[in-house]
Amino acid sequence: MSTAPKLLTHAIDVRFGGIAALSGVSFDLGQGEILGLIGANGAGKSTLINVLSGFQRPNAGTVTLDGRSLVGLPPHKIARAGLARTFQAVRLFADLTVFDNVAAVAAVGAALKTETMHNPAALLELMGLSAQAGRPAGSLPYADQRRLAIARALALEPKFLLLDEPAAGMSSEETSELNQTLRNLRDRTGLGILLVEHNMDVVMTVSDRIVVLDVGRVIATGTPAEMRSDPAVRLAYLGAAPGVQDAPA
């Protein structure tokens, strides 16, 4: 039986008044795995991300990391427990250098965990930003800013990493480079990565498994190949079952 840490959610419910944002959401993520989380607008992805990272308390259900409950913990304690995240909107110290952005977060991580500070230079190398180390973060091209956001999350030395739309605003070439970066990150660190992304090319290319949300419920879980052919997934995204010709735009 594997003793590797796991991130587990079980029967997560979130209600806003009479509206059910999430209903009975359950999934697991192991270390060394990339799990894609997809769903149309309004499916509940943002709510679920906020539950996992401590910004939203569920009405019911559990979230555990390596057997420890995360429900009710504030975001900084969840980071201490081993779950770091990025945000759709890039949040950098624009006037600090790229190196100092990572070093500042690494110092916080060391204070939280009372462990040795992670090597910022090594994280920049991992994310392909070594040549940019001395530049002000605010001067970076947009794609590199998103890479820097990931490097800063890694400075907290997490066991699991939640990436919120990392490919947003990237060109096709930048997206292809991100795909390779995410594979390298998984292979070299053994992290478990939860990838929340609208870009289906990214999700289908790098994910080991995919969880599909629709109107707050998990409607399918499986490999990318299984999701491509799943009738429920096709119906949720395209409004048609396999074999039915899509209507012209």
Side-chain angles (χ1 to χ4, degrees), residues 200-222:
M200 288 298 99
D201 287 339
V202 174
V203 174
M204 292 296 177
T205 298
V206 305
S207 299
D208 299 300
R209 291 185 299 128
I210 297 172
V211 174
V212 185
L213 284 180
D214 185 40
V215 198
R217 297 180 181 274
V218 175
I219 61 169
T221 303

Side-chain angles (χ1 to χ4, degrees), residues 127-208:
M127 296 306 300
L129 292 171
S130 296
Q132 314 274 34
R135 289 183 61 175
S139 73
L140 290 178
Y142 182 71
D144 285 344
Q145 289 189 24
R146 300 200 75 89
R147 289 174 181 271
L148 179 55
I150 297 174
R152 295 201 324 166
L154 292 173
L156 293 173
E157 302 187 38
K159 298 174 183 175
F160 296 92
L161 183 62
L162 193 166
L163 300 180
D164 189 0
E165 302 284 353
M170 289 189 179
S171 67
S172 58
E173 181 179 354
E174 291 166 341
T175 298
S176 179
E177 292 173 353
L178 176 67
N179 290 344
Q180 188 58 53
T181 297
L182 293 180
R183 290 194 200 95
N184 290 341
L185 182 58
R186 185 264 317 274
D187 295 343
R188 292 176 59 179
T189 67
L191 279 170
I193 299 174
L194 181 63
L195 174 64
V196 183
E197 183 56 67
H198 277 103
N199 188 317
M200 288 298 99
D201 287 339
V202 174
V203 174
M204 292 296 177
T205 298
V206 305
S207 299
D208 299 300

Side-chain angles (χ1 to χ4, degrees), residues 1 4 43 83 91 101 103 123 147 162 177 187 216 222 224 229 240 244:
M1 182 176 179
L83 175 62
R91 303 178 180 185
N101 262 266
L123 293 177
R147 289 174 181 271
L162 193 166
E177 292 173 353
D187 295 343
S229 60
V244 178

Side-chain angles (χ1 to χ4, degrees), residues 51-125:
V51 168
L52 294 174
S53 53
F55 292 93
Q56 173 68 49
R57 185 160 187 160
N59 296 97
T62 61
V63 180
T64 60
L65 194 161
D66 200 14
R68 177 185 178 184
S69 175
L70 301 184
V71 173
L73 295 181
H76 73 277
K77 290 190 175 180
I78 289 177
R80 181 185 299 173
L83 175 62
R85 70 168 290 183
T86 64
F87 295 83
Q88 286 188 39
V90 179
R91 303 178 180 185
L92 304 175
F93 304 124
D95 295 332
L96 294 182
T97 67
V98 169
F99 181 92
D100 286 343
N101 262 266
V102 178
V105 176
V108 172
L112 286 175
K113 294 188 173 186
T114 64
E115 294 177 358
T116 303
M117 187 187 302
H118 210 305
N119 183 346
L123 293 177
L124 293 180
E125 186 276 329

